[in-house]
Amino acid sequence: HSPAESLQNQETYWQDRISAMGGEAAYAEFMSIVAGKDPLQEHELAHVFGDALYKGMGESGLTVCSGQASYGCFHAMVGHSIAEHGLSEVSSLVMRCYTSVSIEPMSCQHGIGHGIMGHFGYSKEDLGKALAVCKDMAVPDSIDSCYSGVFMEYSMRTMLGGGASVRPASDGLLAPCDSVEPQYLRACASQQPRWWMQVLGGQAPDAALYEKLGGLCNKLAEGTPALRTCF
């Protein structure tokens, strides 16, 4: 089977499991199966589970998701909801984060940020639009907030699925954090090392790479609260 067919089979399988045993039990089974896999593969599969969960439970499935697998379940759920209903759905999703997802409401907001960024696209102008939507939500300053989801999606492009490639470094390694408003710097810095790991080291990080990342954090955020976040 092609990779696409394999993922489709996975989605069909988890739809059947969700129908048979409920969302929470199926999610627990899913996490036990993917535990220990490569983080990127784990995240991609969590997207597939989230696809199946949305089709089986709709927005009520948000209570099933967690921050595990780099928020993959949240990303898929929120992305589907925004794709289906548009940005008018964001306010409702925010309320669900706080009223239904009591354990990890900020992880839920992080997923909303991914969905908003994916909705607009991946240009610099789109980044500004997505941050403005988060700002209108009056989100708290948290590294798990809507802002951080926007920045992660801007660079990692997880909403595009398995065929996605990360943002190229054509604007320099400090972009976009070197040009965002101060209120967004901490959230941006929280996601930048994840992107650096991909564009500089791929899947084989070593001591020299981590030393380089530390130097980049200093260039990016020295003298600001975002420095600790970057490290």
Side-chain angles (χ1 to χ4, degrees):
H1 297 292
S2 70
E5 288 174 330
S6 178
L7 292 177
Q8 182 60 52
N9 291 339
Q10 285 277 331
E11 182 180 330
T12 300
Y13 173 82
W14 288 113
Q15 280 185 269
D16 291 342
R17 297 299 286 161
I18 291 165
S19 177
M21 62 195 306
E24 291 186 6
Y27 187 66
E29 180 180 291
F30 167 78
M31 288 308 306
S32 70
I33 290 172
V34 300
K37 288 186 179 294
D38 172 88
L40 291 179
Q41 183 183 19
E42 182 184 64
H43 181 81
E44 181 180 36
L45 292 173
H47 265 259
V48 174
F49 182 90
D51 293 340
L53 186 63
Y54 187 82
K55 291 175 181 177
M57 297 182 62
E59 291 177 8
S60 64
L62 275 174
T63 59
V64 172
C65 296
S66 74
Q68 293 171 287
S70 299
Y71 311 97
C73 180
F74 279 126
H75 296 179
M77 289 287 293
V78 171
H80 276 296
S81 186
I82 292 176
E84 183 175 342
H85 302 291
L87 293 178
S88 61
E89 183 68 5
V90 169
S91 295
S92 172
L93 288 170
V94 172
M95 290 304 299
R96 284 180 177 272
C97 285
Y98 284 104
T99 60
S100 301
V101 191
S102 58
I103 296 176
E104 299 183 80
M106 295 311 296
S107 294
C108 180
Q109 281 210 7
H110 178 99
I112 290 175
H114 275 267
I116 293 170
M117 188 74 247
H119 172 81
F120 282 116
Y122 296 93
S123 71
K124 291 181 182 178
E125 292 75 16
D126 293 330
L127 175 63
K129 292 175 185 177
L131 291 171
V133 173
C134 290
K135 186 177 181 179
D136 287 344
M137 291 161 48
V139 298
D141 178 22
S142 165
I143 61 173
D144 285 333
S145 71
C146 179
Y147 296 137
S148 74
V150 165
F151 284 116
M152 181 179 171
E153 183 60 29
Y154 177 69
S155 293
M156 304 304 289
R157 304 179 179 183
T158 63
M159 297 297 298
L160 297 179
S165 58
V166 301
R167 174 174 62 90
S170 52
D171 292 331
L173 291 172
L174 302 186
C177 303
D178 56 352
S179 61
V180 299
E181 295 178 29
Q183 63 185 310
Y184 302 134
L185 180 58
R186 184 166 175 260
C188 190
S190 74
Q191 300 304 316
Q192 202 75 345
R194 185 191 304 268
W195 175 67
W196 288 335
M197 290 281 285
Q198 292 298 307
V199 296
L200 295 176
Q203 295 302 302
D206 55 22
L209 174 61
Y210 285 117
E211 184 175 352
K212 185 178 291 186
L213 299 188
L216 287 168
C217 280
N218 280 321
K219 288 181 181 179
L220 176 67
E222 191 167 19
T224 75
L227 181 62
R228 181 185 179 97
T229 304
C230 188
F231 276 109

